[in-house]
PDB file of all heavy atoms in Angstrom:
ATOM      1  N   MET A 172      16.473  -8.004  15.444  1.00  0.00           N
ATOM      2  CA  MET A 172      15.310  -8.901  15.013  1.00  0.00           C
ATOM      3  C   MET A 172      14.042  -8.123  14.782  1.00  0.00           C
ATOM      4  O   MET A 172      13.087  -8.588  14.374  1.00  0.00           O
ATOM      5  CB  MET A 172      15.034  -9.991  16.089  1.00  0.00           C
ATOM      6  CG  MET A 172      16.225 -11.085  16.111  1.00  0.00           C
ATOM      7  SD  MET A 172      16.299 -12.055  14.626  1.00  0.00           S
ATOM      8  CE  MET A 172      14.578 -12.793  14.774  1.00  0.00           C
ATOM      9  N   ALA A 173      13.919  -6.777  15.357  1.00  0.00           N
ATOM     10  CA  ALA A 173      12.788  -6.133  15.325  1.00  0.00           C
ATOM     11  C   ALA A 173      12.126  -5.904  13.950  1.00  0.00           C
ATOM     12  O   ALA A 173      10.962  -6.149  13.779  1.00  0.00           O
ATOM     13  CB  ALA A 173      12.947  -4.650  16.003  1.00  0.00           C
ATOM     14  N   LEU A 174      12.989  -5.530  12.922  1.00  0.00           N
ATOM     15  CA  LEU A 174      12.491  -5.245  11.570  1.00  0.00           C
ATOM     16  C   LEU A 174      11.953  -6.624  11.014  1.00  0.00           C
ATOM     17  O   LEU A 174      10.858  -6.647  10.366  1.00  0.00           O
ATOM     18  CB  LEU A 174      13.458  -4.461  10.784  1.00  0.00           C
ATOM     19  CG  LEU A 174      13.036  -4.130   9.361  1.00  0.00           C
ATOM     20  CD1 LEU A 174      11.820  -3.243   9.419  1.00  0.00           C
ATOM     21  CD2 LEU A 174      14.150  -3.385   8.668  1.00  0.00           C
ATOM     22  N   PRO A 175      12.749  -7.644  10.944  1.00  0.00           N
ATOM     23  CA  PRO A 175      12.184  -8.950  10.440  1.00  0.00           C
ATOM     24  C   PRO A 175      10.933  -9.323  11.087  1.00  0.00           C
ATOM     25  O   PRO A 175      10.122  -9.851  10.470  1.00  0.00           O
ATOM     26  CB  PRO A 175      13.466  -9.898  10.655  1.00  0.00           C
ATOM     27  CG  PRO A 175      14.589  -9.045  10.668  1.00  0.00           C
ATOM     28  CD  PRO A 175      14.124  -7.773  11.339  1.00  0.00           C
ATOM     29  N   SER A 176      10.892  -9.235  12.540  1.00  0.00           N
ATOM     30  CA  SER A 176       9.598  -9.580  13.172  1.00  0.00           C
ATOM     31  C   SER A 176       8.518  -8.758  12.734  1.00  0.00           C
ATOM     32  O   SER A 176       7.403  -9.227  12.683  1.00  0.00           O
ATOM     33  CB  SER A 176       9.838  -9.397  14.723  1.00  0.00           C
ATOM     34  OG  SER A 176      10.907 -10.239  15.203  1.00  0.00           O
ATOM     35  N   MET A 177       8.652  -7.424  12.477  1.00  0.00           N
ATOM     36  CA  MET A 177       7.622  -6.525  12.060  1.00  0.00           C
ATOM     37  C   MET A 177       7.217  -7.012  10.587  1.00  0.00           C
ATOM     38  O   MET A 177       5.895  -7.084  10.356  1.00  0.00           O
ATOM     39  CB  MET A 177       8.111  -5.063  11.921  1.00  0.00           C
ATOM     40  CG  MET A 177       7.047  -4.184  11.739  1.00  0.00           C
ATOM     41  SD  MET A 177       7.788  -2.441  12.043  1.00  0.00           S
ATOM     42  CE  MET A 177       8.750  -2.253  10.453  1.00  0.00           C
ATOM     43  N   ILE A 178       8.089  -7.366   9.754  1.00  0.00           N
ATOM     44  CA  ILE A 178       7.675  -7.982   8.543  1.00  0.00           C
ATOM     45  C   ILE A 178       6.953  -9.202   8.545  1.00  0.00           C
ATOM     46  O   ILE A 178       5.954  -9.335   7.776  1.00  0.00           O
ATOM     47  CB  ILE A 178       9.013  -8.081   7.574  1.00  0.00           C
ATOM     48  CG1 ILE A 178       9.679  -6.807   7.283  1.00  0.00           C
ATOM     49  CG2 ILE A 178       8.738  -8.791   6.339  1.00  0.00           C
ATOM     50  CD1 ILE A 178      11.061  -6.914   6.593  1.00  0.00           C
ATOM     51  N   VAL A 179       7.462 -10.023   9.400  1.00  0.00           N
ATOM     52  CA  VAL A 179       6.602 -11.322   9.557  1.00  0.00           C
ATOM     53  C   VAL A 179       5.190 -11.098   9.965  1.00  0.00           C
ATOM     54  O   VAL A 179       4.121 -11.776   9.447  1.00  0.00           O
ATOM     55  CB  VAL A 179       7.327 -12.305  10.638  1.00  0.00           C
ATOM     56  CG1 VAL A 179       6.480 -13.425  11.042  1.00  0.00           C
ATOM     57  CG2 VAL A 179       8.602 -12.703  10.078  1.00  0.00           C
ATOM     58  N   MET A 180       4.986 -10.067  10.823  1.00  0.00           N
ATOM     59  CA  MET A 180       3.647  -9.843  11.353  1.00  0.00           C
ATOM     60  C   MET A 180       2.841  -9.247  10.208  1.00  0.00           C
ATOM     61  O   MET A 180       1.549  -9.712   9.993  1.00  0.00           O
ATOM     62  CB  MET A 180       3.787  -8.602  12.457  1.00  0.00           C
ATOM     63  CG  MET A 180       2.339  -8.091  12.796  1.00  0.00           C
ATOM     64  SD  MET A 180       2.462  -6.727  14.057  1.00  0.00           S
ATOM     65  CE  MET A 180       3.338  -5.423  12.952  1.00  0.00           C
ATOM     66  N   ASP A 181       3.412  -8.499   9.331  1.00  0.00           N
ATOM     67  CA  ASP A 181       2.673  -7.971   8.234  1.00  0.00           C
ATOM     68  C   ASP A 181       2.364  -8.963   7.104  1.00  0.00           C
ATOM     69  O   ASP A 181       1.292  -9.103   6.563  1.00  0.00           O
ATOM     70  CB  ASP A 181       3.452  -6.760   7.520  1.00  0.00           C
ATOM     71  CG  ASP A 181       2.585  -6.060   6.541  1.00  0.00           C
ATOM     72  OD1 ASP A 181       1.662  -5.468   6.861  1.00  0.00           O
ATOM     73  OD2 ASP A 181       2.952  -6.236   5.205  1.00  0.00           O
ATOM     74  N   VAL A 182       3.282 -10.009   7.010  1.00  0.00           N
ATOM     75  CA  VAL A 182       3.098 -11.075   6.045  1.00  0.00           C
ATOM     76  C   VAL A 182       1.964 -11.908   6.402  1.00  0.00           C
ATOM     77  O   VAL A 182       1.120 -12.377   5.626  1.00  0.00           O
ATOM     78  CB  VAL A 182       4.440 -11.946   5.793  1.00  0.00           C
ATOM     79  CG1 VAL A 182       4.096 -13.041   4.991  1.00  0.00           C
ATOM     80  CG2 VAL A 182       5.437 -10.959   5.191  1.00  0.00           C
ATOM     81  N   TRP A 183       1.816 -12.187   7.776  1.00  0.00           N
ATOM     82  CA  TRP A 183       0.727 -12.960   8.334  1.00  0.00           C
ATOM     83  C   TRP A 183      -0.587 -12.315   7.998  1.00  0.00           C
ATOM     84  O   TRP A 183      -1.593 -13.111   7.588  1.00  0.00           O
ATOM     85  CB  TRP A 183       0.881 -13.055   9.801  1.00  0.00           C
ATOM     86  CG  TRP A 183      -0.171 -13.824  10.501  1.00  0.00           C
ATOM     87  CD1 TRP A 183      -0.384 -15.189  10.561  1.00  0.00           C
ATOM     88  CD2 TRP A 183      -1.311 -13.301  11.162  1.00  0.00           C
ATOM     89  NE1 TRP A 183      -1.514 -15.604  11.218  1.00  0.00           N
ATOM     90  CE2 TRP A 183      -2.043 -14.422  11.552  1.00  0.00           C
ATOM     91  CE3 TRP A 183      -1.760 -12.094  11.379  1.00  0.00           C
ATOM     92  CZ2 TRP A 183      -3.381 -14.190  12.224  1.00  0.00           C
ATOM     93  CZ3 TRP A 183      -2.963 -11.802  12.061  1.00  0.00           C
ATOM     94  CH2 TRP A 183      -3.710 -12.946  12.416  1.00  0.00           C
ATOM     95  N   GLN A 184      -0.718 -11.011   8.176  1.00  0.00           N
ATOM     96  CA  GLN A 184      -1.989 -10.338   7.845  1.00  0.00           C
ATOM     97  C   GLN A 184      -2.240 -10.221   6.302  1.00  0.00           C
ATOM     98  O   GLN A 184      -3.491 -10.290   5.908  1.00  0.00           O
ATOM     99  CB  GLN A 184      -1.959  -8.883   8.418  1.00  0.00           C
ATOM    100  CG  GLN A 184      -3.382  -8.196   8.306  1.00  0.00           C
ATOM    101  CD  GLN A 184      -3.136  -6.797   8.506  1.00  0.00           C
ATOM    102  OE1 GLN A 184      -2.201  -6.078   8.558  1.00  0.00           O
ATOM    103  NE2 GLN A 184      -4.308  -6.099   8.710  1.00  0.00           N
ATOM    104  N   THR A 185      -1.298 -10.006   5.448  1.00  0.00           N
ATOM    105  CA  THR A 185      -1.538  -9.591   4.100  1.00  0.00           C
ATOM    106  C   THR A 185      -1.473 -10.818   3.016  1.00  0.00           C
ATOM    107  O   THR A 185      -1.869 -10.578   1.982  1.00  0.00           O
ATOM    108  CB  THR A 185      -0.645  -8.511   3.492  1.00  0.00           C
ATOM    109  OG1 THR A 185       0.772  -8.964   3.683  1.00  0.00           O
ATOM    110  CG2 THR A 185      -0.741  -7.334   4.384  1.00  0.00           C
ATOM    111  N   THR A 186      -0.875 -11.956   3.409  1.00  0.00           N
ATOM    112  CA  THR A 186      -0.818 -13.110   2.492  1.00  0.00           C
ATOM    113  C   THR A 186      -2.241 -13.531   2.011  1.00  0.00           C
ATOM    114  O   THR A 186      -2.476 -13.790   0.922  1.00  0.00           O
ATOM    115  CB  THR A 186      -0.136 -14.379   3.253  1.00  0.00           C
ATOM    116  OG1 THR A 186       1.096 -13.959   3.553  1.00  0.00           O
ATOM    117  CG2 THR A 186      -0.208 -15.519   2.365  1.00  0.00           C
ATOM    118  N   PRO A 187      -3.259 -13.452   2.922  1.00  0.00           N
ATOM    119  CA  PRO A 187      -4.583 -13.818   2.339  1.00  0.00           C
ATOM    120  C   PRO A 187      -5.016 -12.938   1.237  1.00  0.00           C
ATOM    121  O   PRO A 187      -5.784 -13.277   0.303  1.00  0.00           O
ATOM    122  CB  PRO A 187      -5.574 -13.683   3.601  1.00  0.00           C
ATOM    123  CG  PRO A 187      -4.543 -13.988   4.679  1.00  0.00           C
ATOM    124  CD  PRO A 187      -3.249 -13.361   4.440  1.00  0.00           C
ATOM    125  N   PHE A 188      -4.641 -11.659   1.230  1.00  0.00           N
ATOM    126  CA  PHE A 188      -5.019 -10.638   0.212  1.00  0.00           C
ATOM    127  C   PHE A 188      -4.410 -11.096  -1.029  1.00  0.00           C
ATOM    128  O   PHE A 188      -5.075 -11.114  -2.152  1.00  0.00           O
ATOM    129  CB  PHE A 188      -4.574  -9.262   0.700  1.00  0.00           C
ATOM    130  CG  PHE A 188      -4.646  -8.267  -0.528  1.00  0.00           C
ATOM    131  CD1 PHE A 188      -5.910  -7.691  -0.886  1.00  0.00           C
ATOM    132  CD2 PHE A 188      -3.533  -7.721  -1.141  1.00  0.00           C
ATOM    133  CE1 PHE A 188      -5.938  -6.872  -1.963  1.00  0.00           C
ATOM    134  CE2 PHE A 188      -3.515  -6.919  -2.100  1.00  0.00           C
ATOM    135  CZ  PHE A 188      -4.670  -6.406  -2.622  1.00  0.00           C
TER     136      PHE A 188
END
Side-chain angles (χ1 to χ4, degrees):
M172 292 294 296
L174 184 55
S176 299
M177 192 171 77
I178 293 174
V179 170
M180 175 185 67
D181 188 70
V182 170
W183 178 81
Q184 186 198 13
T185 58
T186 294
F188 168 71

